[in-house]
Amino acid sequence: MTGATDGDGGAAEDVNRPRVAALARDRRVWLILAVVAGLLVCCCSAVIGALVALSSGLLTA
């Protein structure tokens, strides 16, 4: 029996780990991108709201 196979001749769990790690890494990347996009949308909407309020005279500069 070698390190690459289990007792029944099948693949060991370590062989599948890089694929699982890549999937987890991809999910982290998408989560980070979603958070950054959410913050960007919130900041842009706040700036646009302030500009609209300034242009309509609701706020004084």
Side-chain angles (χ1 to χ4, degrees), residues 10-37:
E13 287 183 33
D14 292 339
V15 175
N16 291 332
R17 285 193 181 173
R19 190 171 36 179
V20 173
L23 179 64
R25 184 176 60 240
D26 289 341
R27 286 184 180 171
R28 281 194 305 262
V29 168
W30 285 111
L31 179 63
I32 291 168
L33 287 176
V35 169
V36 170

Side-chain angles (χ1 to χ4, degrees), residues 39-52:
L39 290 174
L40 186 63
V41 166
C42 289
C43 291
C44 289
S45 65
V47 168
I48 291 171
L51 289 175
V52 168

